[in-house]
Amino acid sequence: MSKEPFQEPETVVESPDSPVRNFLIGVLLSGIPIFAYLSLSVDMTYGSWAAVGTAQWVGAIALPLVCGILSATFGKKVVQVLDSLLTSVQLPF
């Protein structure tokens, strides 16, 4: 009888969460619906991007930055919440 050599089970090593990576994921996951909302709003009103108000621009820039900071601080918890929110938004594209 020949014995097979002992094979160690493969272990999956997850890379540690990088705050920069989580920040970028948070900005992306929160920025997509905001950009979609703004672009659909401009398209539906037959307006131009110049017609978007200053307060809307500030909100559209500040909200993804805040979500990015939260996801960099709290890690995967916030990223998972943002992912589930993006999935439930049901964007038209």
Side-chain angles (χ1 to χ4, degrees):
M1 273 187 171
S2 65
K3 286 189 169 183
E4 294 181 20
F6 178 73
Q7 295 180 355
E8 293 184 27
E10 294 182 18
T11 58
V12 178
V13 178
E14 293 185 21
S15 62
D17 287 341
S18 167
V20 174
R21 179 179 178 206
N22 287 338
F23 174 79
L24 293 175
I25 291 172
V27 168
L28 181 71
L29 289 178
S30 62
I32 288 174
I34 292 172
F35 176 73
Y37 170 76
L38 277 177
S39 63
L40 288 174
S41 173
V42 169
D43 288 342
M44 294 294 206
T45 59
Y46 301 107
S48 67
W49 285 98
V52 177
T54 305
Q56 292 171 334
W57 280 115
V58 169
I61 293 170
L63 189 62
L65 289 177
V66 168
C67 289
I69 291 170
L70 287 174
S71 62
T73 304
F74 296 111
K76 292 244 183 203
K77 293 177 186 177
V78 176
V79 171
Q80 289 173 348
V81 169
L82 289 173
D83 184 38
S84 66
L85 285 175
L86 183 64
T87 304
S88 67
V89 169
Q90 297 179 357
L91 294 173
F93 50 85

